[in-house]
Amino acid sequence: MVKMLRRGNSHMPDMEEYGASSSPGARPGLDARFFARSVHRVAPELIGAVLMIDGVGGVIVEVEAYDHEDPACHGFGGRTERNAAMFGPPGRAYVYRSYGIHWCLNVVCEPEGIASAVLIRAIEPTLGLEAMQARRGLSDPRLLCAGPGRLCQALGITRAHDHARLDTSPFALLPRAAEVPLAVGPRIGITKAADRPWRYGLARSRFLSKPFPR
DNA sequence: ATTTGGATTTCCT
DNA sequence: GGAAATCCAAATC
């Protein structure tokens, strides 16, 4: 399924309103106010945004939403040491260890105390390609950041970034510049609440972790 | 093209 | 002890 995301409508303020972390001459980044809303509104708006760490990164092409009433959400069963960031302020990173091997990056949403987050699942690598290729031991751009574990390896994201703000150094997060064709479908790799269509992607992108069913 | 097993942390029963 | 928001390579269809 493909539809166009509109930039502004009567229910939702324009994304330009949310920028606060501006520096002279730079487009304002997405800050805590942008993320202090329903995770189901935030997630699709992240498609097309640019994520960087120390200048390395690219365009977000795939995310998934996890809300506080969602059995698949890590915060659903209450706070633990691992998921503590999900219960903290919005706009921060929640980084967890997946299958004992990989790191996965989320951005915390909703007002503080409501455990929800957007899992960043894939980006199109555009900035600092050589750094990403070196960390991944791969050259094929299509495989560099196509998956939550892969993109964390490419960007050098680890537990050290858990709780970090995404609107200040070393991170930067810029809103998408224009409308994007959006794909929607069920989330990947979960067993609980697997039917909920809360995976969003840039339609027909070659940099997705998997194509969207059509 | 699709399936399988191994690597290994964190949390829950 | 076992499952999990994963990835990779090897084997088999």
Side-chain angles (χ1 to χ4, degrees):
Chain A
M1 180 203 311
V2 175
K3 65 182 180 185
M4 293 305 262
L5 258 188
R6 282 166 311 173
R7 192 80 197 262
N9 61 39
S10 54
H11 305 333
M12 202 186 319
D14 229 34
M15 285 191 13
E16 302 296 340
E17 274 185 39
Y18 295 103
S21 60
S22 55
S23 52
R27 192 144 46 108
L30 299 176
D31 65 5
R33 288 160 56 220
F34 174 83
F35 289 100
R37 297 179 294 145
S38 163
V39 67
H40 298 297
R41 288 185 176 266
V42 171
E45 292 181 23
L46 284 177
I47 301 301
V50 173
L51 173 67
M52 286 176 290
I53 174 165
D54 291 319
V56 175
V59 180
I60 297 174
V61 297
E62 183 183 340
V63 302
E64 286 176 356
Y66 290 84
D67 77 37
H68 66 291
E69 295 181 325
D70 175 5
C73 179
H74 285 179
F76 181 73
R79 181 183 176 129
T80 65
E81 187 169 352
R82 176 175 71 155
N83 68 20
M86 290 191 93
F87 292 82
R92 308 266 187 131
Y94 162 46
V95 180
Y96 71 92
R97 182 74 95 161
S98 176
Y99 289 89
I101 310 276
H102 307 286
W103 297 107
C104 293
L105 171 67
N106 297 252
V107 190
V108 177
C109 293
E110 314 271 355
E112 181 165 355
I114 298 182
S116 79
V118 177
L119 172 67
I120 311 298
R121 286 194 55 90
I123 69 177
E124 174 179 345
T126 57
L127 299 134
L129 216 58
E130 291 182 2
M132 291 188 271
Q133 288 166 331
R135 290 191 184 115
R136 293 271 296 125
L138 277 174
S139 56
D140 184 354
R142 290 174 59 153
L143 295 176
L144 277 186
C145 304
R150 288 166 170 174
L151 87 83
C152 281
Q153 185 182 25
L155 301 196
I157 292 169
T158 68
R159 161 144 257 153
H161 305 289
D162 196 26
H163 293 96
R165 302 174 59 118
L166 293 197
D167 62 350
T168 60
S169 178
F171 284 101
L173 189 52
L174 307 178
R176 66 169 184 265
E179 297 174 353
V180 294
L182 201 66
V184 181
R187 296 174 291 181
I188 304 269
I190 57 171
T191 53
K192 290 170 285 193
D195 55 321
R196 300 178 196 187
W198 293 343
R199 177 184 179 223
Y200 301 94
L202 180 60
R204 299 178 299 278
S205 169
R206 300 187 306 281
F207 300 93
L208 300 172
S209 66
K210 291 175 69 166
F212 280 76
R214 23 172 301 180

